[in-house]
Amino acid sequence: MKREDTVRNGHFLADRRWFFPIVIAGLIAGAIVTSSFIKAADYSLLCSVANTMSPQGFGNGSATPIQLQAIIHYATSRITPQQNFREISVTFDVLKKRSPCNFLVFGLGYDSMMWTSLNPNGNTIFLEEDPKWVQTVLKDAPVLHAHPVKYRTQLKEADALLSHYRSEPSCFPSKAYLRGNDKCKLALTGFPDEFYDTEWDLIMIDAPRGYFPEAPGRMAAIFSAAVMARNRKGSGVTHVFLHDVDRRVEKVFAEEFLCRKYLVKSVGRLWHFEIPSAANMSSHGGAQFC
């Protein structure tokens, strides 16, 4: 993540199971509308979210401490999340069905409290390239679960990394792995054990930085998300959300590794993929992911 009205249907409010997630969503929507003068359509979207919410995953109606803290945080903050409300709603729709779940987020930012609160009783972790920024955020929000990480790529290497992957067998989908895979330059290595040992249900890629040549870029994050999704052992698909697809590198790497055929939704600058495990693919051999 870059550093940079009330619900009309009263019967939902009468059932307290809906209350806290809607309050959090409403505060975020209100902040976005107020700060960026987005038209009232976002309020109707909030009502639509309320109308379609499922009680599954949000507990018995008792707010968790992180949800209460998120309400206070967004009610008193003038800083809005990186994604707009329509983009946030794409992930929110999946969390309504899958929470509590394992949710991996590349990046730590102003929306981190929101993502954690929308996955109550689940496991949400954040991976951040800037250790000082991790300290700054955790000072104000110590309940967040975040790790500082180092990337071994630079954005200016993107084209060369594509060529490398096509000629390096340890990058091939049938052989690719992450932990200790030093031969494949796109594999994320040296990350916390939790990153490798957890089977992630949702993966959000909104970092690292990718807007100047020496930035790490999101090439390795996209490749590694694809590897983890294909290696899934549990049931169901892995949901991968990629932000900033208006940029060339994000788009090219998404089409190479996450695959157009698995793209299920496109909203604003966000793409949502549902990637099956390799065992459930019609063909999963060869040297290409798509």
Side-chain angles (χ1 to χ4, degrees):
M1 323 304 162
K2 300 186 187 75
R3 321 321 193 241
E4 310 176 29
D5 258 346
T6 58
V7 178
R8 286 194 287 264
N9 295 313
H11 64 281
F12 280 99
L13 293 178
D15 185 343
R16 62 183 186 146
R17 289 177 300 175
W18 313 110
F19 184 71
F20 293 103
I22 293 177
V23 167
I24 295 168
L27 289 169
I28 295 167
I32 293 173
V33 173
T34 301
S35 65
S36 57
F37 302 100
I38 293 177
K39 47 187 176 296
D42 279 344
Y43 287 117
S44 64
L45 178 61
L46 174 58
C47 295
S48 174
V49 169
N51 280 329
T52 58
M53 281 186 65
S54 165
Q56 296 174 353
F58 286 103
N60 60 7
S62 299
T64 63
I66 186 65
Q67 287 178 327
L68 294 173
Q69 187 169 344
I71 290 172
I72 296 171
H73 173 78
Y74 289 109
T76 58
S77 176
R78 295 184 179 182
I79 301 173
T80 59
Q82 148 74 1
Q83 298 178 30
N84 65 43
F85 192 71
R86 290 178 63 243
E87 293 168 338
I88 290 170
S89 296
V90 174
T91 308
F92 184 32
D93 286 343
V94 177
L95 283 170
K96 286 184 295 183
K97 300 173 184 176
R98 296 296 297 268
S99 179
C101 62
N102 293 322
F103 187 12
L104 174 66
V105 183
F106 285 89
L108 181 68
Y110 301 118
D111 50 5
S112 297
M113 185 77 74
M114 173 190 67
W115 293 131
T116 298
S117 68
L118 294 179
N119 186 28
N121 303 312
N123 177 29
T124 305
I125 75 164
F126 303 89
L127 304 177
E128 170 57 43
E129 63 181 292
D130 185 348
K132 292 183 179 179
W133 178 243
V134 172
Q135 293 177 1
T136 298
V137 173
L138 294 186
K139 181 179 179 181
D140 294 329
V143 294
L144 295 178
H145 187 176
H147 297 285
V149 295
K150 292 183 179 180
Y151 294 89
R152 51 185 183 139
T153 59
Q154 290 189 330
L155 183 65
K156 62 185 179 182
E157 303 169 335
D159 293 336
L161 287 169
L162 271 182
S163 299
H164 162 76
Y165 135 73
R166 290 167 180 155
S167 61
E168 173 52 60
S170 63
C171 294
F172 292 175
S174 59
K175 299 180 179 180
Y177 62 98
L178 300 182
R179 184 168 13 208
N181 189 356
D182 296 323
K183 290 184 177 180
C184 180
K185 297 178 182 179
L186 282 169
L188 292 175
T189 61
F191 275 38
D193 288 340
E194 184 177 15
F195 171 74
Y196 304 107
D197 295 338
T198 305
E199 189 162 272
W200 302 105
D201 303 302
L202 279 72
I203 302 174
M204 170 71 72
I205 305 173
D206 206 358
R209 292 172 295 172
Y211 52 91
F212 60 95
E214 292 75 26
R218 299 178 186 173
M219 302 82 68
I222 294 170
F223 171 85
S224 296
V227 171
M228 290 188 288
R230 292 174 64 92
N231 290 341
R232 182 180 182 86
K233 299 296 188 294
S235 61
V237 299
T238 302
H239 296 268
V240 179
F241 306 90
L242 175 62
H243 199 229
D244 296 318
V245 294
D246 55 318
R247 302 194 301 213
R248 185 186 76 87
V249 169
E250 278 80 355
K251 185 175 181 179
V252 168
F253 274 73
E255 292 177 338
E256 183 70 39
F257 298 111
L258 303 179
C259 309
R260 278 275 184 178
K261 62 184 176 182
Y262 300 132
L263 177 63
V264 296
K265 200 160 193 177
S266 174
V267 174
R269 295 182 293 135
L270 183 82
W271 279 357
H272 171 204
F273 298 85
E274 293 182 359
I275 304 177
S277 67
N280 294 324
M281 293 180 180
S282 55
S283 60
H284 54 272
Q288 292 187 328
F289 281 74
C290 303

